[in-house]
């Protein structure tokens, strides 16, 4: 696949639609919702003319594809007893714990300010 900056917007759009057909084939509610979301995001940016903004949008689309593929790889690896899935679970647990700590800290600060 080409680098993100070399992919045209229409190529990225088609890549996303192909991925969606793989994730949620047919006309299930999940499939319809995902296609509608992707279509709306591209429609919102249709008239964008700023090259820097266009590159940022294209990079975000490529990142979304990459993140999904990494996630699915981790899920498959975990089923086979691999390290990637376990590492992803470990990272998720630490992230949730960090958010909970930060949430409690902000609650404490709100209480102290009153």
């Amino acid at each position: 696949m080409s680098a993100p900056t070399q992919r045209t917007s229409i190529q990225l759009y088609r890549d996303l639609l192909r991925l969606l057909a793989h994730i949620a084939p047919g006309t299930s509610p999940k499939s319809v919702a995902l296609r509608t979301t992707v279509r709306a995001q591209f429609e919102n940016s249709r008239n964008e003319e700023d090259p820097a903004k266009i590159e940022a949008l294209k990079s975000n689309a490529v990142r979304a594809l990459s993140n999904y593929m990494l996630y699915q790889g981790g899920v498959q690896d975990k089923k086979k007893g691999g390290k990637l899935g376990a590492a992803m679970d470990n990272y998720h647990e630490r992230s949730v714990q960090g958010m909970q700590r930060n949430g409690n800290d902000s609650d404490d600060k709100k209480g102290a300010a009153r």
Side-chain angles (χ1 to χ4, degrees):
M1 183 167 13
S2 302
T5 56
Q6 295 174 348
R7 304 285 294 171
T8 66
S9 297
I10 194 71
Q11 287 172 324
L12 289 173
Y13 181 72
R14 288 177 180 160
D15 288 345
L16 286 168
L17 291 181
R18 278 192 286 274
L19 177 63
L20 293 178
H22 175 71
I23 296 169
T27 57
S28 69
K30 178 181 178 182
S31 175
V32 171
L34 289 170
R35 277 197 312 270
T36 301
T37 301
V38 168
R39 186 173 296 120
Q41 291 295 315
F42 274 82
E43 284 294 325
N44 289 340
S45 303
R46 174 178 283 226
N47 297 319
E48 185 61 53
E49 294 181 5
D50 179 17
K53 177 98 180 204
I54 292 170
E55 287 304 312
L57 291 166
K58 288 164 68 173
S59 293
N60 289 342
V62 170
R63 191 175 309 111
L65 282 170
S66 299
N67 286 344
Y68 177 77
M69 294 175 78
L70 178 64
Y71 173 78
Q72 281 302 107
V75 169
Q76 293 300 319
D77 187 58
K78 183 178 174 184
K79 289 179 183 175
K80 297 176 185 175
K83 293 181 181 178
L84 178 61
M88 287 173 54
D89 285 345
N90 186 9
Y91 176 78
H92 176 72
E93 287 177 26
R94 288 183 301 168
S95 296
V96 169
Q97 290 170 355
M99 288 188 295
Q100 289 171 344
R101 276 195 306 270
N102 290 340
N104 291 338
D105 291 346
S106 64
D107 290 342
D108 293 341
K109 290 176 187 175
K110 287 178 188 175
R114 292 182 190 169

